[in-house]
Structure formats: structure tokens, C-alpha cells
Amino acid sequence: MNPAQIDTSVFNRLRFVLVETSRPGNIGAAARAMKTMGFSDLVLVNPRFADAVSQDEAVAFASGAQDVLAGARIVGSIEEALADCNYAAAVSARLREFSPPVVMPRALATELAANTGLQAALVLGNERFGLPNEIVEKCNVLINIPANPGYSSLNLSQAVQVLAYECRMAALGETKIASVIGFQGDAAGLADIEGMYQHLEQALVAIDFLNPDNPKKLMPRLKRLFARTGLETEEVNILRGIAKQILATRK
């Protein structure tokens, strides 16, 4: 296919990742919410039931979106779910001390629709416990849906619906880009960024800047710092090159 003919719309670049979902009905309802807004890429990380997508409750709540259910992939880890993504947004009603930058759904949707180089994922957690901190820290941003502060608890599928709607509106041109930068390289893959963090941590230990027995919050703070930058592939390579040189000189 001619590269010019490849559909780079957000509908083909956005994945919905549900982590450890308990109720098959919520999976079905999420599939329905996705399909009504034109999305279809659904990945489940360790759902409570291995056959969740085929259970009667899931099929009933999908209500016509059985094709999205049938196409859903079930994986064993968040790393598998994000393997070919270079951007991930954690969705949580609870703010975290060392979370990545917090953005609103509309701002996120605008960015995802405009930047065709992003292979993105929206990551939503378990109905009762949400997302653990270690998954949130792997993401580029934290999405907080501005709900009633007196009762801000959204059902899983409702959160999917809000986000899918905002992304659809952005794709249809209902929002405008607030700013444009000059040259923009390829966004770094999430696995590459995680590898860079591990490499950097080794280097910091080697120069006695980081005490592995008493690390405190250094690495979460560094992750938050870099998450605000929108790391590109070349930038990750530079940082890994620095870490490599540090390790080489300490041998």
C-alpha cells in the first residue's frame, strides 16, 4: 500500500487496555462504548475470568459490539499490552504523588488526534482498586476525568465512553491544537523508555548517586520529569549512551 494511503486516524492508532477487570459485563459494556465511537482495539490484561469475552454477561452488555469482543486480545502483563505502543495514558480518579503529568481528557484527545506518530493506549484499572502505582508510572500521562468531587466514581465502561467520545470529537475536528512545535522526531516506544530507566538506574548506582538499599523516591521523580518531556527515540538513545559511558568508566 502507498504510505499516503495508510489510514493514520486516531481510530486506527488508539487502543483501550483494561487491567484485571472483574465483571464480564463491564468488558462487554466497554466494547459497546468503543464501537459507538468508532474504536475497536481492545486488550485485556489478566481478566478475572479467562473466558470473559465469551461469557453471556459480556455478550449481552456488548449489545451489537460482539465483533469488538471477538477481536479482543487477552495478555498476561501490561508490558505485553503496550508492546507496540509509544504512548500510554493511565486513567484514574485518584491522583498519585509521583504520577506522570495530569491532563484532562479533551487535551489528551486533541494531542492523540493531531500527532499521527503516536500509537497510543488508554489504560484503565480494576473496578474496585483501579490501577497500581507501578503501572501508572509506566505511562506518559495520567488522565483524570473532571467529575463531581462529591461523587467522582465512574463505572469502567462510562469512563471508556467519555474518553472515546472526546477522541472522536477531536478526530472530527471539533477541537484545535493549542500550539505547534518545529521538528518532531518519532515518539520513543514504552519498552525502550523502560529500558532507558533501568540503564540510567544502573549508572546512578555505579557513581554512588543512588543507593540501591535506600533509593527513596529518586527513580519515580526522574520518571515523572522525563514523562513531561515526551521523549523521542533519539533522545532515549542519547540518554542510554550517557548511561553506557558512565558504566564503562566505572569498570
Side-chain angles (χ1 to χ4, degrees):
M1 179 182 291
N2 187 318
Q5 296 177 316
I6 297 175
D7 187 349
T8 58
S9 73
V10 70
F11 300 107
N12 290 326
R13 293 185 288 104
L14 181 60
R15 172 178 304 162
F16 288 78
V17 177
L18 308 185
V19 179
E20 297 183 356
T21 312
S22 297
R23 293 289 303 273
N26 281 332
I27 296 173
R32 179 179 182 180
M34 290 170 56
K35 186 170 182 177
T36 59
M37 294 296 123
F39 298 95
S40 61
D41 190 357
L42 176 62
V43 176
L44 310 175
V45 180
N46 291 326
R48 181 180 180 186
F49 302 103
D51 62 344
V53 296
S54 60
Q55 289 205 6
D56 290 344
E57 185 180 278
V59 174
F61 277 75
S63 187
Q66 283 83 0
D67 55 330
V68 176
L69 281 181
R73 292 188 294 115
I74 298 178
V75 299
S77 69
I78 189 65
E79 288 77 14
E80 290 179 81
L82 302 178
D84 54 349
C85 294
N86 56 21
Y87 191 92
V91 182
S92 176
R94 178 166 56 92
L95 300 179
R96 320 295 173 99
E97 182 181 3
F98 294 104
S99 80
V102 179
V103 301
M104 294 295 102
R106 191 158 298 174
L108 173 78
T110 300
E111 174 66 15
L112 295 184
N115 189 342
T116 58
L118 294 182
Q119 297 292 331
L122 297 176
V123 185
L124 299 96
N126 173 273
E127 294 93 331
R128 287 190 61 193
F129 305 110
L131 289 172
N133 288 336
E134 55 266 26
I135 289 182
V136 172
E137 290 175 4
K138 292 180 183 294
C139 295
N140 301 84
V141 294
L142 177 66
I143 305 303
N144 185 251
I145 298 174
N148 174 11
Y151 186 67
S152 60
S153 178
L154 283 174
N155 174 270
L156 176 61
S157 63
Q158 291 171 337
V160 170
Q161 188 75 78
V162 169
L163 296 167
Y165 169 80
E166 290 292 352
C167 290
R168 181 174 183 82
M169 290 300 97
L172 297 179
E174 293 296 323
T175 56
K176 297 181 179 179
I177 306 304
S179 62
V180 178
I181 64 173
F183 171 79
Q184 187 170 15
D186 295 332
L190 295 173
D192 292 332
I193 293 175
E194 188 63 27
M196 181 269 290
Y197 287 139
Q198 294 172 9
H199 207 169
L200 182 59
E201 184 173 4
Q202 293 169 12
L204 295 175
V205 170
I207 61 174
D208 297 323
F209 189 83
L210 173 62
N211 180 354
D213 297 322
N214 187 26
K216 297 183 179 180
K217 299 294 183 179
L218 178 60
M219 290 310 298
R221 286 187 182 278
L222 287 176
K223 289 181 179 182
R224 183 171 64 172
L225 183 156
F226 284 118
R228 293 198 297 268
T229 69
L231 285 166
E232 298 174 1
T233 299
E234 186 60 28
E235 293 165 345
V236 166
N237 290 338
I238 290 171
L239 290 167
R240 295 202 71 162
I242 294 171
K244 181 179 179 180
Q245 187 63 29
I246 290 173
L247 291 168
T249 60
R250 300 299 291 186
K251 288 183 178 179

